[in-house]
Amino acid sequence: MTAHVFDIKGLKTSCQNCSLAELCLPLGLDQVDVDRLDEIVRRARPMNAGDHLFRTGDAFRSLYAVRAGSVKVYSLDADGEEQILGFHLPGELLGMDAISGKAHACSAKVLETTSVCEIPFERLQELSLRLPSLQSQLFRLLSQEIIHDEAMLLVLGKKPAEERLATFLLSLSERFHRRGFSATEFNLSMSRHDIGNYLGLAVETVSRLFRRFQDDGLLEVQRKHILITDLPRLRAMVHMCDHAEQGTAH
Amino acid sequence: MTAHVFDIKGLKTSCQNCSLAELCLPLGLDQVDVDRLDEIVRRARPMNAGDHLFRTGDAFRSLYAVRAGSVKVYSLDADGEEQILGFHLPGELLGMDAISGKAHACSAKVLETTSVCEIPFERLQELSLRLPSLQSQLFRLLSQEIIHDEAMLLVLGKKPAEERLATFLLSLSERFHRRGFSATEFNLSMSRHDIGNYLGLAVETVSRLFRRFQDDGLLEVQRKHILITDLPRLRAMVHMCDHAEQGTAH
DNA sequence: CCCCAGCGTTGACCTGAATCATTTCGGCAC
DNA sequence: GTGCCGAAATGATTCAGGTCAACGCTGGGG
């Protein structure tokens, strides 16, 4: 009986049985390889809203994968101004920007009750020397992070406020959808302030845009709860050729 | 005699003897490993201003390293609007954002007479399975690209025009310096239009800022020629804790 | 149950940078 | 030299979005 329970627990906490495997590191690995990966992954107890996964200056040791919940990653400039670099949903990897240094250059703060897997980078690197498909997947994930950031550069560099918020909402929509949730109804785990910060807009502007979108019949907004009522039109607002927001993204 | 000439040519075109090795892929590799890398690197004849290294949609096969000259990387959004993602100087790698896909999502255009090394990615990946230090260096370079883009997100998201241009000039200054050129005197290989596009500003604003900087005694500008006359003050304008613009950057 | 703090909303106003319209410059062909 | 063309500079005007200042929820603690 007890043994049985242990088995179930064992199953629950392996990459093998993780519903996020297709979005996360294990993508493209075969059974055996996933088992090897499994051996080095550490699964931590859930964290509470406001907890930090790591902070600027902390020694870099591991990458992290979100299992449930959400995480915001931000850096602080000289004046202590915060710039949010991304929001991470389940199945997304974070910490990759620290690989080239000894310490984290950003901080990662949990937005709600969240559990993450910790993947010691040294060991991951060793392992990926022996598992070509793992190495390959790592390269892909790093590259996707670059793609995401580049898409964001376009948004911040050229797009007006309206399109920024639309892009943001669509990104969330797609990502929720890919995780098996509704593409049209979800809760924002971040504050208006965070959204504004991320999109390079003032909080007030974000507020006004939510109202406008609602008035235009695109959304129904109730605080953190979002219902997209006209997805096609929201897409049309962004109409960019949709060079897909794929995996690791924010 | 002829043989001798061939020898010299051979030496000139190896990573081994490339003055950029310390900025480029070979960093951290020992002699033997560099030789292996050397075998897969293809050195192309110089290209002319305006030529494309690759375009959006081209099949992804290789990464490229700039040997001499400069390259601008840009993407086009739905409306055909160009967004410049970076400028690459000698020793910098480009094309890394295409790793996760089959095709390039951006285009790379040469700004002046430029020569590049082409590194077939398939072979690089195979090789890096056998050479831990190469794998490691690749991870580092990808990570640095992410760091660069994140730094740019801060600039575009929060900084006023003045600070954007200052940041840009300082980045160039540092990068030229690291390559053994003057940190205070250099030529811009890109147009005002490109600078504005990259920094999310109108051309006119860039023009006015150059004038203002000159009037303030920070610079002497003469078309493409820049002489920084007060580097400390330029740095002060940016004063961010300088979480260094390291390697691959733009 | 009520109070308070923090988030969110709303409105009035201001400003930095975009846009528009010329003009000037510098390189190049003839 | 002269004329031409694209890049750059400059000035006038406009406007998107920021800032400032109240105000209104709402949810947690006493």
Side-chain angles (χ1 to χ4, degrees), chain B residues 35-42 118-120 123-124 127:
Chain B
D35 286 344
R36 315 298 299 273
L37 176 60
D38 234 8
E39 286 166 20
I40 70 169
V41 174
R42 295 181 202 143
E118 182 184 345
I119 307 136
R123 305 193 60 189
L124 182 61
L127 191 60

Side-chain angles (χ1 to χ4, degrees), chain B residues 202-218:
Chain B
V203 206
E204 295 91 327
T205 306
V206 175
S207 236
R208 284 189 255 268
L209 285 172
F210 271 127
R211 157 156 282 282
R212 175 131 52 96
F213 283 3
Q214 182 151 16
D215 291 349
D216 291 356
L218 290 164

Side-chain angles (χ1 to χ4, degrees), chain A residues 143-174:
Chain A
S143 162
Q144 272 168 22
E145 184 78 13
I146 295 170
I147 287 179
H148 171 269
D149 288 348
E150 286 178 351
M152 222 35 219
L153 289 180
L154 211 200
V155 170
L156 294 184
K158 297 262 164 337
K159 304 301 182 179
E162 193 179 81
E163 201 168 333
R164 296 189 195 188
L165 187 61
T167 305
F168 175 68
L169 291 171
L170 279 179
S171 165
L172 285 180
S173 162
E174 281 176 33

